[in-house]
Amino acid sequence: MSNRTSVKNLIRTGVATCAVAAGLAGAGIASADATDDYPIPNRILRTPCTAEQIMAAARDVEPVYYERYMIDYNNKPVADQQGAQDRIHWFFSMDYAGRRQYSENMATNAFFENMSWRWPNWAKLFFNNKGVAANTTDVCQNYPPNDMSVWDWH
């Protein structure tokens, strides 16, 4: 009889496993999408400031974040430094709709931003912190729009 009990238990376990698997399959797949503050803070999506204005503001109002970014930036190959500058200039050249779509693409497609494969934190100063975004966008218009010296930190 113990053989018969083992078979019954095995069948019960199999049925229970199938039921759990069917329940999980029916639950659907989780999906991600961008919000007004993820992955890029809304204030960055809407700011009229340039990358250099954001950086100058960060240098003065969020110096720790600016310094960390610049240390990381200066530890990258020149090609990656130029790539980051070119890409962030392209981003800030877009209007709100373009920036919002870019944010959506970043949230839903891990392969979308090629620069992230070269340097994962290439835009960290601009995109990764709502508090820094708020503090820099509050004052960024007080800085010159094309001051490339902000990329030259030592």
Side-chain angles (χ1 to χ4, degrees), residues 87-102:
R87 197 66 175 155
I88 203 66
H89 287 145
W90 170 81
F91 173 82
F92 281 108
S93 73
M94 290 189 287
D95 63 5
Y96 170 78
R99 292 178 190 181
R100 182 73 176 85
Q101 184 58 56
Y102 177 85

Side-chain angles (χ1 to χ4, degrees), residues 27-33:
I29 297 171
S31 63
D33 66 349

Side-chain angles (χ1 to χ4, degrees), residues 2-4 13-14 16 19-20 26-27 39 50 69 86 124 126:
S2 73
N3 226 4
R4 196 175 227 181
T13 302
V20 169
T50 66
Y69 179 79
D86 293 346
K124 186 170 187 157
F126 308 97

Side-chain angles (χ1 to χ4, degrees), residues 51-52 55 69-70 73-74 78-92 115 118-119 122-123 126 147-152:
E52 287 71 31
M55 291 178 73
Y69 179 79
M70 293 310 296
Y73 173 85
N74 285 312
V78 173
D80 290 349
Q81 292 175 11
Q82 189 61 54
Q85 282 187 33
D86 293 346
R87 197 66 175 155
I88 203 66
H89 287 145
W90 170 81
F91 173 82
F92 281 108
M115 191 64 214
R118 293 168 56 189
W119 175 18
W122 73 273
F126 308 97
D147 179 10
M148 295 301 287
S149 72
V150 294
W151 294 98
D152 251 343

